[in-house]
Amino acid sequence: MIVYNLACENQHPFEGWFSSPADFENQRDRGLVECPVCASKQVERKLHAPRINVGAAPETKREAVEAATQPDGEIDYGKLKEAIAGFAQQVRDNTEYVGERFAEEARAMHYGEKEHRGIRGRTDRETAEALREEGIEFASLPFPVDFPNAH
């Protein structure tokens, strides 16, 4: 499942869980997605950090470590590596790589110049801080997801 940050025409923020970007658009277009505050059906995706929920994924860091911890107390780094690789693949599959244009694309979506979509890319610390000061929501990933098959 993909968790999207959504907002209605009145800018009430809320989350929605969908199996794919097409699933969100299909449900929205059929009037099945509505704001829990005002019941508006004019809902848009907002910029979000990818957060993919697959099966019974751990909800906290503690649960993730416990899931990878063997009975003898040692961490199973193979399980951790597998989980990270799976997440990275989900990010690659559900976002567009915009490379060095990340800040430009994020701003264009934030200010309504472009349609909202999941993107990933690169920016320097100063530009990232400027984006945050503008109220543009994003998250840095703790691992690269733009290689070897960036698209």
Side-chain angles (χ1 to χ4, degrees):
M1 297 296 281
I2 304 171
V3 180
Y4 285 128
N5 290 329
L6 306 172
C8 71
E9 62 188 321
N10 298 311
Q11 299 306 310
H12 297 131
F14 61 102
E15 288 184 347
W17 296 38
F18 303 92
S19 61
S20 68
D23 181 39
F24 162 73
E25 292 171 10
N26 180 298
Q27 289 186 40
R28 180 198 57 199
D29 294 347
R30 295 183 318 166
L32 300 175
V33 180
E34 70 178 42
C35 175
V37 176
C38 67
S40 171
K41 294 186 188 240
Q42 297 213 6
V43 175
E44 302 244 349
R45 284 177 30 195
K46 294 298 185 182
L47 188 63
H48 68 283
R51 185 172 76 198
I52 313 297
N53 293 318
V54 180
E59 294 183 18
T60 65
K61 180 179 177 182
R62 172 177 274 183
E63 287 178 14
V65 171
E66 287 174 358
T69 302
Q70 300 174 14
D72 63 3
E74 293 294 315
I75 294 177
D76 183 338
Y77 290 100
K79 285 184 180 178
L80 285 177
K81 182 178 176 183
E82 185 178 306
I84 291 170
F87 178 72
Q89 185 62 48
Q90 290 288 338
V91 170
R92 279 193 294 274
D93 290 346
N94 292 286
T95 60
E96 176 187 347
Y97 180 66
V98 296
E100 302 297 326
R101 298 185 341 266
F102 179 81
E104 174 186 333
E105 293 289 321
R107 282 190 175 106
M109 289 186 289
H110 180 75
Y111 293 112
E113 299 165 7
K114 289 191 175 183
E115 184 176 333
H116 290 270
R117 67 194 193 283
I119 62 170
R120 66 185 192 281
R122 298 172 182 266
T123 194
D124 58 50
R125 287 182 192 260
E126 289 177 6
T127 305
E129 186 58 37
L131 291 172
R132 286 187 179 93
E133 289 174 5
E134 291 177 53
I136 299 172
E137 294 183 25
F138 67 96
S140 298
L141 296 175
F143 49 84
V145 293
D146 59 331
F147 70 92
N149 56 356
H151 55 285

